[in-house]
Amino acid sequence: MQTIYHIKGREIETFMHTIRKLVEDDQELTITVSSDEAFEEKDSTEKEKLFYSLFGSWEGEQTGDELTKQIYSDRLSGKRDIDL
């Protein structure tokens, strides 16, 4: 389950208290922290570079043709018996 909270710095203590109530001692919790200010301070060129840095090609041991051949060979086709 993923829940996103938008909180202000002055609300951190209350937020942590609430989290402690919700999560049992032996449960693992992952928290990702980001700041909108850090992103807003960047100029549009930096934002664009950051945006495009998220794109990329997948690199593997197979060539594109080999991968295509594997995909087609792994597909299952045929008639299925379906009882309604």
Side-chain angles (χ1 to χ4, degrees):
M1 178 177 81
Q2 180 179 10
T3 304
I4 299 174
Y5 296 94
H6 296 277
I7 62 171
K8 300 192 182 309
R10 64 180 176 266
E11 301 169 335
I12 291 174
E13 290 301 319
T14 304
F15 173 71
M16 294 305 293
H17 181 71
T18 303
I19 292 295
R20 282 188 197 103
K21 285 184 185 178
L22 294 174
V23 179
E24 295 177 18
D25 290 336
D26 60 340
Q27 286 183 315
E28 186 171 306
L29 176 68
T30 302
I31 298 176
T32 303
V33 179
S34 66
S35 172
D36 291 337
E37 289 180 22
F39 189 73
E40 289 174 6
E41 290 175 4
K42 296 183 179 194
D43 66 11
S44 61
T45 306
E46 288 183 69
K47 287 180 185 178
E48 188 174 339
K49 285 180 184 177
L50 177 61
F51 176 74
Y52 283 113
S53 72
L54 301 174
F55 293 85
S57 61
W58 177 75
E59 293 183 17
E61 296 176 6
Q62 299 172 316
T63 65
D65 291 335
E66 291 171 334
L67 186 58
T68 301
K69 185 177 180 180
Q70 180 186 353
I71 290 169
Y72 278 105
S73 68
D74 289 344
R75 286 185 179 171
L76 300 175
S77 62
K79 294 182 179 181
R80 292 186 247 169
D81 293 331
I82 300 174
D83 295 326
L84 299 177

